[in-house]
C-alpha cells in the first residue's frame, strides 16, 4: 500500500480534472463503504475520514518504518491534511487485513475507492460539509445517509475511464 500511495502524482491537477466524474463516484463509493463499516462498529465521532483499523483492533498497526516512509513522502507531496491522514489509515488497514485474528464482517475494503480516487488525480478538499473536486462537489452528509447495499460504481479502470469519457 505504501508503494501505491508514494507512486501517485499528487500535484497532477489536470488528470484530476479530466477524471472528475469518476473521482466523485469513487468518493460516494468510499462514503458508502465507510458507512457500512461505521454501522458495523456502532457509530463514529470522526465520520467520514477516520482510521477504521484502529477502531477494530488498536494493537494491529503497520510497521513504524513504513509509516515513517509514508509520512516523509506525504509531508512533502500531499498538500491536504485529510489525504495524509487517510493514507496512513489505508496502510494500517492493509496491515490489519493481513495480520489480524479478529473475525471481520463480509464488507468490502473501505479505503480502496479512496486510494483509486487519489490515483486518478490527487487530492480533493473538504469544506462546508462537501468533498470539493473543483468542478464537482460531493456532500458528505452523516453516515446513516450514506448507507446503501449496492455499490455506487465498479472499481474497474475501464468502467471509470468510460464514466470520464461520457462526462467530458
Amino acid at each position: 500500500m505504501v508503494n501505491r500511495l508514494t507512486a501517485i502524482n499528487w500535484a497532477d491537477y489536470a488528470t484530476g480534472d479530466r477524471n472528475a466524474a469518476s473521482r466523485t463516484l469513487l468518493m460516494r463509493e468510499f462514503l458508502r463503504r465507510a458507512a457500512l463499516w461505521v454501522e458495523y462498529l456502532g457509530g463514529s465521532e470522526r465520520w467520514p475520514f477516520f482510521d477504521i483499523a484502529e477502531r477494530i483492533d488498536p494493537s494491529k498497526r503497520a510497521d513504524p518504518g513504513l509509516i515513517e516512509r509514508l509520512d516523509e513522502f506525504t509531508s512533502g507531496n500531499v498538500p491536504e491534511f485529510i489525504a495524509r491522514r487517510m493514507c496512513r489509515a489505508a496502510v494500517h488497514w492493509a496491515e490489519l487485513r493481513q495480520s489480524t485474528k479478529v473475525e471481520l464482517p463480509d464488507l468490502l475494503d473501505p479505503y480502496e475507492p479512496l486510494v483509486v480516487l487519489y490515483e486518478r488525480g490527487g487530492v480533493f478538499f473538504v469544506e462546508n460539509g462537501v468533498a470539493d473536486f473543483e468542478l464537482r462537489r460531493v456532500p458528505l452528509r452523516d453516515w446513516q445517509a450514506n448507507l446503501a447495499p449496492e455499490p455506487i460504481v465498479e472499481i474497474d479502470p475501464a468502467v471509470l475511464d468510460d464514466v470520464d469519457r461520457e462526462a467530458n
Side-chain angles (χ1 to χ4, degrees):
M1 181 56 69
V2 171
N3 290 339
R4 275 182 78 184
L5 294 167
T6 58
I8 295 169
N9 180 352
W10 291 87
D12 186 1
Y13 300 111
T15 298
D17 289 348
R18 275 193 314 277
N19 295 332
S22 65
R23 286 166 35 96
T24 58
L25 291 178
L26 287 163
M27 173 55 72
R28 290 180 52 216
E29 178 62 11
F30 163 73
L31 294 170
R32 183 191 78 83
R33 290 183 185 193
L36 292 170
W37 279 99
V38 168
E39 181 179 50
Y40 167 74
L41 295 169
S44 173
E45 305 82 42
R46 299 210 47 194
W47 167 263
F49 304 107
F50 70 105
D51 187 340
I52 295 170
E54 183 177 47
R55 285 281 312 275
I56 292 171
D57 186 350
S59 71
K60 295 294 181 200
R61 307 307 282 161
D63 178 88
L66 277 178
I67 294 299
E68 183 178 334
R69 181 175 150 226
L70 178 69
D71 287 348
E72 283 177 19
F73 175 82
T74 59
S75 68
N77 294 286
V78 180
E80 211 278 323
F81 174 75
I82 290 173
R84 290 191 295 256
R85 190 172 72 217
M86 296 314 295
C87 287
R88 285 177 130 225
V91 172
H92 289 306
W93 178 258
E95 175 63 25
L96 176 77
R97 294 296 288 203
Q98 290 177 345
S99 68
T100 190
K101 291 184 170 77
V102 174
E103 188 170 326
L104 297 174
D106 187 23
L107 295 173
L108 294 172
D109 180 330
Y111 297 108
E112 184 64 15
L114 201 54
V115 173
V116 173
L117 180 158
Y118 294 143
E119 289 171 332
R120 295 181 69 79
V123 299
F124 56 89
F125 295 92
V126 174
E127 55 189 7
N128 301 320
V130 299
D132 188 342
F133 294 88
E134 297 295 325
L135 303 173
R136 298 171 187 255
R137 292 184 173 88
V138 176
L140 300 176
R141 304 176 304 178
D142 62 27
W143 66 267
Q144 294 93 337
N146 285 285
L147 280 173
E150 297 300 318
I152 304 296
V153 67
E154 184 180 343
I155 302 180
D156 173 285
V159 170
L160 298 171
D161 289 345
D162 285 345
V163 166
D164 292 322
R165 255 191 306 282
E166 290 174 16
N168 292 327

